[in-house]
Amino acid sequence: MGRAVVIGGGITGTLTACELLADGWDVVVVEGQHVGAGSSSRTAAGIRQQFSTRETVLGMRYSVGVYRDWAETMGGGGEPIQQNGYLFLYDTEGQWEAAQARVADQHAWGLTEVEALNAAEVADRFPFVDADTILGGTHCPTDGFLRPEVVYNEAATALRMRGGELRQNAIVTGAEHAGGCLVAVQTSKGRVEGDVFVDATNAWTRRVGPLLGGLDLPVAAYKRYLWFLERGDAMSPAELMAMPLTIAPSGTYCRPENSGSLMVGWKHSAPDVSADFTYEDQDAVEAAHSHKSGIDARPFEAWMALAEVLPPVGEFAGIVATTAGFYGTTPDHNPFLDVDPQVPNLIRLVGFSGHGAMFGPFAARVAACLAQAGRSIDSVEVLGEDAELASFRIGRPFSHGESMVI
Ligand SMILES: Cc1cc2nc3c(=O)[nH]c(=O)nc-3n(C[C@H](O)[C@H](O)[C@H](O)COP(=O)(O)OP(=O)(O)OC[C@H]3O[C@@H](n4cnc5c(N)ncnc54)[C@H](O)[C@@H]3O)c2cc1C
């Protein structure tokens, strides 16, 4: 089949490398620092199938299956997925009606286990929710969250054990072309030739894509924060560990990190720093977003917003840590999964818009189909059905994007 060069060793790159190897390609991954050096080690790693379009629901059903069957297919000892479910809560008529209509669509798209629950049903099933503060919620029990380090580390190990190559500290600095196609990339660890190339650099793609002769895709790098709340006595360890990833009407979300700690996130407006952020910038915490900045800072606002609907969370002991990373975000919150129109043997898997951990297996499958076809394709078959790729195409209009963004 030839040689595939995957640029970037996060969840997308390592899973894509394994998929290409399984399809018969010789594979080399070139990673600028080390496996997991980007957003993949800084993620909340939620995985949900509750989306607003058929292709994403189908794609995420496929991803859940891959993570569930991980030990069998990847051969490692880890279990990457914890299926605690996702619980979206709503407090306005308009949003609650739209959510119920979405559940009907999701059923039609094969996500039969998702349910719309009225406020009393939510509180009955999830006693930590105050029924008086909501109109209802949607719950999908097979959603959940990942241990991302299991994903990229075990995928990298499987890649090497099956004959693939992983070059770390090999930052791509240039590219060579012949007849309009890429033939090699230059890296800080030498030249790497290939027949097909995959850009899996997500938040870095505005710098890496043009370096490869590809389009400058609209993928903004936005800072996102996570905060960690210590449990105290408000919930038992078992109650905390059983919590679904819960999204409050304000957009704040939380999920158990471990039996003593709740992870909390909330998006905010941030500048696009895709042109020049450094590796160190990923972990930089602005004062306004630090738990060390006092009770006027964003983490305390997030904690209080959660406590309005989840009273026991208001009784937690305190915020003990802040972490950060970048989302690589497109204008319509769908990723680009396509061949670059300027370079026929360059596949772009970027712009995951905060969904890259869950998209990983699906993106890898799409990449393998694109590599096999050697051109843009209209759909891929997953779970015996065709997932249309128009929403992930480079050059699409950005008018019909993903509406469920957190
Ligand atoms: C706070 C936060 C919360 C999140 N929550 C979720 C969530 O709940 N669910 C979800 O699915 N996603 C979530 N995400 C998003 C998710 O983490 C990312 O979409 C995903 O990790 C992207 O993986 P990736 O492999 O595409 O990119 P990355 O993990 O960023 O990997 C890109 C790699 O490219 C390498 N690279 C860059 N430039 C070069 C170069 N020139 N040469 C060689 N290598 C290079 C980098 O070193 C890096 O390792 C969250 C992200 C953050 C920051």
Side-chain angles (χ1 to χ4, degrees):
M1 280 214 138
R3 192 177 206 220
V5 180
V6 178
I7 303 161
I11 289 173
T12 308
T14 54
L15 290 179
T16 299
C18 288
E19 192 80 25
L20 291 169
L21 198 74
D23 267 13
W25 294 86
D26 286 332
V27 180
V28 55
V29 175
V30 287
E31 160 54 47
Q33 271 207 338
H34 56 80
V35 166
S39 308
S40 294
S41 58
R42 295 167 170 82
T43 176
I47 174 159
R48 65 175 152 105
Q49 304 148 97
Q50 296 184 66
F51 274 92
S52 65
T53 65
R54 179 184 174 274
E55 54 276 12
T56 304
V57 170
L58 185 52
M60 297 311 98
R61 283 175 53 217
Y62 171 78
S63 283
V64 165
V66 170
Y67 286 132
R68 200 191 44 221
D69 300 339
W70 182 261
E72 215 172 287
T73 47
M74 211 51 84
E79 286 183 12
I81 189 166
Q82 188 166 333
Q83 289 178 287
N84 276 25
Y86 250 69
L87 176 65
F88 282 90
L89 300 172
Y90 298 96
D91 68 354
T92 65
E93 285 291 351
Q95 286 179 342
W96 176 222
E97 272 167 28
Q100 291 172 89
R102 248 188 334 258
V103 165
D105 287 339
Q106 289 160 352
H107 284 168
W109 300 329
L111 189 65
T112 49
E113 61 271 34
V114 64
E115 289 178 279
L117 305 169
N118 65 34
E121 289 167 332
V122 169
D124 189 45
R125 190 100 56 94
F126 304 102
F128 54 86
V129 179
D130 179 355
D132 294 339
T133 62
I134 57 163
L135 294 175
T138 66
H139 176 244
C140 178
T142 50
D143 290 347
F145 35 86
L146 298 166
R147 285 181 55 206
E149 72 286 359
V150 169
V151 178
Y152 54 75
N153 285 332
E154 292 200 356
T157 301
L159 175 75
R160 284 189 284 211
M161 287 180 65
R162 295 168 188 180
E165 192 189 338
L166 170 65
R167 289 194 201 175
Q168 302 188 81
N169 293 308
I171 193 142
V172 170
T173 53
E176 295 168 32
H177 298 83
C181 287
L182 264 169
V183 291
V185 287
Q186 288 126 21
T187 80
S188 48
K189 276 198 172 166
R191 187 171 172 274
V192 184
E193 289 183 359
D195 301 296
V196 67
F197 293 77
V198 179
D199 169 16
T201 63
N202 200 39
W204 281 266
T205 195
R206 292 204 77 165
R207 283 175 270 172
V208 175
L211 200 68
L212 303 173
L215 281 177
D216 180 13
L217 297 176
V219 176
Y222 293 134
K223 187 49 99 52
R224 291 289 176 260
Y225 292 98
L226 297 172
W227 303 288
F228 295 84
L229 265 171
E230 203 169 85
R231 180 175 52 79
D233 299 324
M235 269 188 190
S236 70
E239 283 168 335
L240 176 54
M241 283 304 280
M243 260 182 100
L245 195 150
T246 305
I247 303 95
S250 58
T252 42
Y253 65 91
C254 63
R255 61 117 161 137
E257 170 67 358
N258 53 48
S259 62
S261 179
L262 185 76
M263 176 194 281
V264 175
W266 200 11
K267 81 172 183 215
H268 65 287
S269 49
D272 171 15
V273 295
S274 53
D276 56 5
F277 72 84
T278 64
Y279 277 100
E280 293 70 35
D281 289 339
Q282 295 184 94
D283 299 316
V285 176
E286 295 159 87
H289 298 273
S290 169
H291 68 287
K292 297 177 183 162
S293 297
I295 57 166
D296 291 332
R298 182 79 169 171
F300 292 89
E301 205 185 327
W303 184 9
M304 292 307 114
L306 276 177
E308 274 175 32
V309 280
L310 314 176
V313 171
E315 304 299 317
F316 271 42
I319 309 176
V320 292
T322 305
T323 64
F326 289 112
Y327 274 19
T329 298
T330 64
D332 64 359
H333 303 278
N334 276 325
F336 295 110
L337 311 175
D338 199 3
V339 171
D340 193 299
Q342 287 188 182
V343 186
N345 64 338
L346 172 62
I347 294 167
R348 309 287 293 272
L349 307 176
V350 295
F352 288 101
S353 309
H355 306 139
M358 55 185 113
F359 258 81
F362 179 62
R365 186 84 286 272
V366 173
C369 294
L370 290 169
Q372 171 109 45
R375 57 175 172 76
S376 276
I377 52 177
D378 293 332
S379 63
V380 290
E381 193 192 312
V382 288
L383 304 174
E385 294 181 51
D386 280 338
E388 303 290 326
L389 297 179
S391 305
F392 310 122
R393 191 156 264 174
I394 294 171
R396 65 185 181 255
F398 292 122
S399 45
H400 300 293
E402 178 51 54
S403 65
M404 292 186 75
V405 181
I406 56 174

